[in-house]
Amino acid sequence: MPLLTIEGHGTVAVAAGTRLVRAIENAGVDILHRCGGNARCTTCRVVFIDGEPDQMTQAEYDKLESKGALGEYRLSCQCLVLEDMHLRADSRLTGSDLEDAGPTPEDVITPEPVWLDEV
């Protein structure tokens, strides 16, 4: 099982293939996902310290490019935990003025992923 290390929150074992946004929540971190994990809002963004996935969905690429944020952060709703990861989750319910983190993301990546060969 891959290990997921979240700055300030520790390390947990995660079943390979788990959607990253769900793994972060299951680790007890109140990450935002205002669009329900559909690559529309960027509130589930994370910064990888190590173990950044090589693959990216077309939806994530399009959203990050439109925000001018390619290479700055990744969308946890569009990543799978396939190997050890070390990251920082800055966009959290704690410290926001929001009542909840957003609709619960599905267990699988949505929209249906179209994987890019190179980013």
Side-chain angles (χ1 to χ4, degrees), residues 82 89 108 115:
L82 298 173
V108 296
W115 296 103

Side-chain angles (χ1 to χ4, degrees), residues 53-101:
D54 293 332
Q55 287 188 311
M56 182 179 284
T57 66
Q58 183 71 56
E60 180 181 16
Y61 180 88
D62 292 345
K63 178 50 69 177
L64 293 177
E65 183 179 50
S66 75
K67 295 274 190 176
L70 274 174
E72 290 182 37
Y73 53 83
R74 296 288 302 268
L75 302 182
S76 65
C77 72
Q78 299 296 298
C79 298
L80 297 174
V81 180
L82 298 173
E83 55 190 275
D84 292 354
M85 296 176 162
H86 184 177
L87 58 85
R88 191 176 72 238
D90 294 334
S91 186
R92 299 183 43 223
L93 182 59
T94 299
S96 77
D97 60 352
L98 301 170
E99 293 182 21
D100 61 53

